[in-house]
Amino acid sequence: MLTRRHFLLAALAVPSCRRHRHGSAHAHDAGPHAHGAGHAGVGPAASAAPAAPPKPPLHPDALARFVDPLFVPEIQRPIESRPDPGRPGVQIPYYRIAMRETEVRVHRDLPPTRMWSYGGTVPGPTLEVRSGRGAFIEWQNDLPGEHFLPIDHNICGAGTDVPDVRTIVHVHGARVPPESDGYPEHWYGSGQSKVVHYPNRQDATMLWYHDHAMGIERLNHYAGMFGLYFVRDDAEDRLGLPKGAREVPLVLCDRLFAADGQLVYPTSGLPGAPWVSEINGDAHLVNGRLFPYFDVAPALYRFRMVNASNGRVYYLSLSNGKPLVQIGTDQGLLRAPVPLPSLPLAPAERADLLIDFSELAGETVLLKSQTLQLLQFRVGKGAGAPKKAAALPRALRPIARIDRKTAVKTRTMTLNEYMDPKTHTMLMLLNGKHWHEPVTETPLAGTVEIWELVNLTEDTHPIHLHLVRFQLLERQPFDADDYQYLGKMRYTGEPAPPGPGEDGWKDTVRADPGMVTRIIVRFEGYTGRYVWHCHNLEHAANEMMRPFEVVAG
Ligand code: C2O
Ligand code: CU
Ligand code: CU
């Protein structure tokens, strides 16, 4: 993973967070970057503690497959209703969800796994709201006072001056005022709670909620802190898509386990600096279970998928060679269904899919990612004569393209991997800037901007903007060496339009290596301070995350 690209940024004018927050005393123990793949270097959390011997790893491939039924999270019920703050006289639902430690049986042949959860299950309970009708959620932090995963106190915002266990919930993709968005620094500790108002003024789609606490988001998330949030609307209802038992959420994520069934979060092996740049789990959970099966009728089903991995990209397909029919993306329905032989899904991206089992009575089909087997569908026999393929809707929802002529500004932003010359620590940065530097992206409310993401690294970075939905314009190949060494942009090919599955409303986009990825965004809804970041959570922590501020025009 150490490549020439890590050394390329010019010296930074502003000291890094780790130095200015913690002084230079920490610099000496941050050695060269080590890539934490697999089980190498599994170690203890505390910087001063002696290294515990690593536990033997679990080899998931040795486990029996498809012996556990798919878990489907419960729909959360409101506990009461309260007046809508914006519309007196209107009552809106009030939910309470407690974050707490729990035990999850991820597989029949494994002991229960300690996890952190919303409401005691992983994924947490599913919220279902109506577009235009607000909701309150009280997020109660009932977690233990100590973390069970390895905190790196050098990481921005995770110093020894703050409690180890901190949480703040973000509803990913929600159009909410800044105080409801879960700003990473607005965390709170165990025993505290926060009531958050969600106006839900946006189109039907599947959002998801997850922890966003500064400096430990990747750990809280790895521990199990995520769940789903459906926005429904009339336009979606009119399509008559499969619902109830035939609309099923699928939350995918990779993890590493020890042979005793406990989660392993890999560490660098460097004393006092456990952060790793990437997680590559060999256990692939679907709704928190390993190799589950799911009984379906010979009928049309709708699957709502999210990739909740810290860093892995999935490439989904069916074992019978039939295409997946994608009908929606992060921020709602596509214009029309698109059949895809393979569907890439990067961290935080969502896909709304139809799978037609009508002609498959009595068969089994696997959901795969390349050669990985994720989930087995068992199609029931059904009664009567064999069924014909289900009819699919022809049109879903009109999506007007944002005209690039309406953009008032184009921002060119680099995605960097950076080796600090003094500390020999690797950082990932957006536009060469650290989290604590002054806000540089200050779009005017109501205006349209084009953001060009210039990827100077050799990784794909799923880039996410809070508050907004956007459209992918194109990706264009360029010469990264010319850009970095000679300071000039030389394109090496024509811009490629979005693939059919990403040609809709997005909130997270894959910025591929060697590409300039252009998105077009209207900054609307609310003014105030939000964040944009890479949704590879190890990257975001160190420090591929920046504030942006929508300012009143
Ligand atoms: Cu999934 Cu900053 O969010
Ligand atoms: Cu988000
Ligand atoms: Cu990244």
Side-chain angles (χ1 to χ4, degrees), residues 445-490:
T447 65
V448 172
E449 296 193 357
I450 293 172
W451 286 24
E452 297 189 316
L453 306 167
V454 179
N455 188 344
L456 302 177
T457 77
E458 290 166 358
D459 288 328
T460 289
H461 300 277
I463 299 296
H464 169 50
L465 279 67
H466 286 210
L467 173 69
V468 294
R469 61 180 187 176
F470 55 75
Q471 294 174 1
L472 171 58
L473 288 172
E474 62 210 7
R475 296 188 181 92
Q476 187 164 14
F478 75 109
D479 190 304
D481 288 337
D482 275 14
Y483 191 89
Q484 296 178 101
Y485 297 120
L486 309 173
K488 63 169 211 246
M489 174 59 82
R490 186 166 65 82

Side-chain angles (χ1 to χ4, degrees), residues 170-173 210 212 464-466 533 535:
H170 167 61
V171 180
H172 178 123
H210 62 76
H212 220 309
H464 169 50
L465 279 67
H466 286 210
H533 59 91
H535 223 287

Side-chain angles (χ1 to χ4, degrees), residues 125-371:
T126 297
L127 288 143
E128 280 229 29
V129 301
R130 278 316 283 185
S131 176
R133 184 169 187 230
F136 287 105
I137 307 177
E138 183 181 341
W139 302 100
Q140 165 80 34
N141 180 344
D142 286 339
L143 292 167
E146 268 172 52
H147 218 295
F148 74 105
L149 296 177
I151 293 176
D152 186 329
H153 292 294
N154 304 293
I155 291 289
C156 191
T160 49
D161 53 339
V162 294
D164 278 0
V165 177
R166 293 169 285 117
T167 58
I168 180 78
V169 186
H170 167 61
V171 180
H172 178 123
R175 182 189 287 180
V176 294
E179 63 275 14
S180 298
D181 193 48
Y183 196 69
E185 292 174 344
H186 295 169
W187 50 261
Y188 50 98
S190 304
Q192 294 178 284
S193 80
K194 188 173 168 132
V195 179
V196 183
H197 176 237
Y198 298 94
N200 300 321
R201 286 191 209 114
Q202 59 192 111
D203 289 349
T205 191
M206 187 184 82
L207 310 176
W208 63 303
Y209 60 90
H210 62 76
D211 185 70
H212 220 309
M214 195 72 202
I216 55 167
E217 169 191 4
R218 70 195 185 289
L219 305 176
N220 291 347
H221 192 272
Y222 195 83
M225 298 186 70
F226 49 80
L228 302 171
Y229 189 110
F230 285 86
V231 181
R232 307 287 189 185
D233 69 13
D234 297 346
E236 178 193 33
D237 289 349
R238 279 194 294 271
L239 292 169
L241 295 166
K243 59 180 182 196
R246 295 196 179 163
E247 185 191 25
V248 184
L250 298 176
V251 182
L252 312 175
C253 65
D254 65 340
R255 291 291 183 274
L256 291 159
F257 289 90
D260 65 0
Q262 299 311 304
L263 284 174
V264 170
Y265 185 92
T267 57
S268 65
L270 303 169
W275 174 81
V276 293
S277 65
E278 206 106 29
I279 301 286
N280 274 299
D282 56 6
H284 302 278
L285 304 181
V286 182
N287 294 353
R289 303 296 182 276
L290 201 43
F291 299 124
Y293 69 85
F294 185 54
D295 285 316
V296 295
L300 186 67
Y301 280 70
R302 183 179 186 191
F303 293 97
R304 314 294 299 267
M305 295 201 188
V306 57
N307 182 347
S309 297
N310 281 34
R312 169 181 300 270
V313 181
Y314 284 109
Y315 299 89
L316 302 166
S317 63
L318 293 175
S319 61
N320 63 359
K322 290 250 165 60
L324 292 162
V325 176
Q326 187 176 351
I327 59 168
T329 180
D330 308 337
Q331 285 282 330
L333 293 160
L334 292 165
R335 294 178 183 89
V338 290
L340 295 172
S342 162
L343 185 150
L345 205 62
E349 285 191 303
R350 280 92 74 209
D352 191 348
L353 297 175
L354 297 177
I355 303 181
D356 186 9
F357 300 105
S358 305
E359 297 173 300
L360 303 174
E363 296 181 31
T364 61
V365 187
L366 300 178
L367 177 70
K368 300 172 58 179
S369 173
Q370 294 167 315
T371 58

